[in-house]
Amino acid sequence: MRICVYAGSSVGARPEYRVAAAELGALLADEGIGLVYGGGNIGLMGVAADAALAKGGEVIGVITEQLHGHNLSHTGLTRLEIVPTMHDRKALMADLSDAFVALPGGIGTFEELFEAWTWAQLGVHAKPVALFNAGGFYDKLAGFLDHVVEEKFLKAVHRQTLVVESDPRALLKSLRENPVPYVPKWLDKVAGEQPPK
Ligand code: AMP
């Protein structure tokens, strides 16, 4: 099993974020779960990768030629894949992974998280997606997503597929025990469609 971790290229303002990234990296290694991520050596991404590597875990980085050219790649990974574009990068990260976790981060992290979650909603894959809510960082986003359900732009069943946990072990348990239910977004248009493998 491998988990794709999206995380800030900054460490953020509070020490809780660094602690959470290190805890997640170490836990994945302890559990024999590979970590797939953006391949950077900076921010919470670098903290999670270093923590997994320190425990002997498998860490696969997927980085673009442009970022690699700016010496932003981690040099001590199990494997580093260098790809032409951001789209290639996200596709490969998703292909290599069985689930997705977003640590605190900025708009790059959000973009990656929402793409993975949208693909689950559309049935492109059936891999679970989670927010690691370290220090309550994602409380406001979770509240906003509830508002989106109330305003009928998101089905409650799809909202519930997004795991939100502040403890890494509970997060891993939720990912393992709550497979994504296949509920096509376009119920009225896709009669009889089969779930993705
Ligand atoms: P952000 O949350 O805006 O800091 O962006 C972090 C996300 O975007 C990560 O999950 C990475 O996949 C990607 N990213 C942004 N900056 C870099 C970088 N310097 N090196 C590697 N990946 C990056």
Side-chain angles (χ1 to χ4, degrees):
M1 186 186 183
R2 294 196 191 107
I3 291 185
C4 181
V5 175
Y6 303 129
S9 53
S10 306
V11 291
R14 291 199 272 147
E16 287 102 304
Y17 305 143
R18 247 170 291 190
V19 171
E23 276 179 358
L24 181 63
L27 178 64
L28 295 182
D30 283 346
E31 297 283 320
I33 299 171
L35 189 161
V36 175
Y37 85 116
N41 55 10
I42 49 173
L44 292 188
M45 304 194 256
V47 173
D50 284 341
L53 290 166
K55 290 258 186 170
E58 177 197 55
V59 182
I60 302 175
V62 184
I63 199 156
T64 58
E65 287 163 2
Q66 181 208 13
L67 290 171
H68 182 64
H70 285 97
N71 293 324
L72 289 168
S73 314
H74 196 300
T75 52
L77 302 179
T78 316
R79 197 168 121 199
L80 182 68
E81 299 281 350
I82 303 166
V83 296
T85 68
M86 288 300 278
H87 287 106
D88 297 323
R89 180 195 208 193
K90 289 186 291 173
L92 183 56
M93 287 165 78
D95 285 348
L96 290 170
S97 307
D98 304 291
F100 306 90
V101 174
L103 275 159
I107 56 176
T109 303
F110 305 154
E111 190 262 344
E112 293 167 335
L113 164 87
F114 278 108
E115 181 175 84
W117 191 26
T118 306
W119 287 355
Q121 176 181 255
L122 293 172
V124 175
H125 64 68
K127 302 173 184 179
V129 183
L131 294 176
F132 188 164
N133 192 20
F137 178 76
Y138 282 118
D139 285 348
K140 288 180 180 164
L141 178 61
F144 179 72
L145 291 170
D146 293 336
H147 170 70
V148 179
V149 173
E150 281 159 24
E151 295 303 313
K152 300 199 182 301
F153 288 106
L154 171 64
K155 290 185 196 303
V157 66
H158 289 132
R159 166 71 183 86
Q160 284 152 17
T161 62
L162 183 68
V163 172
V164 184
E165 290 286 355
S166 53
D167 173 74
R169 289 189 178 277
L171 184 142
L172 211 50
K173 191 166 183 284
S174 290
L175 287 177
R176 283 183 164 138
E177 294 176 3
N178 297 306
V180 175
Y182 183 61
V183 181
K185 180 169 169 55
W186 315 113
L187 278 176
D188 47 343
K189 298 203 176 143
V190 205
E193 191 176 321
Q194 293 303 305
K197 297 278 180 261

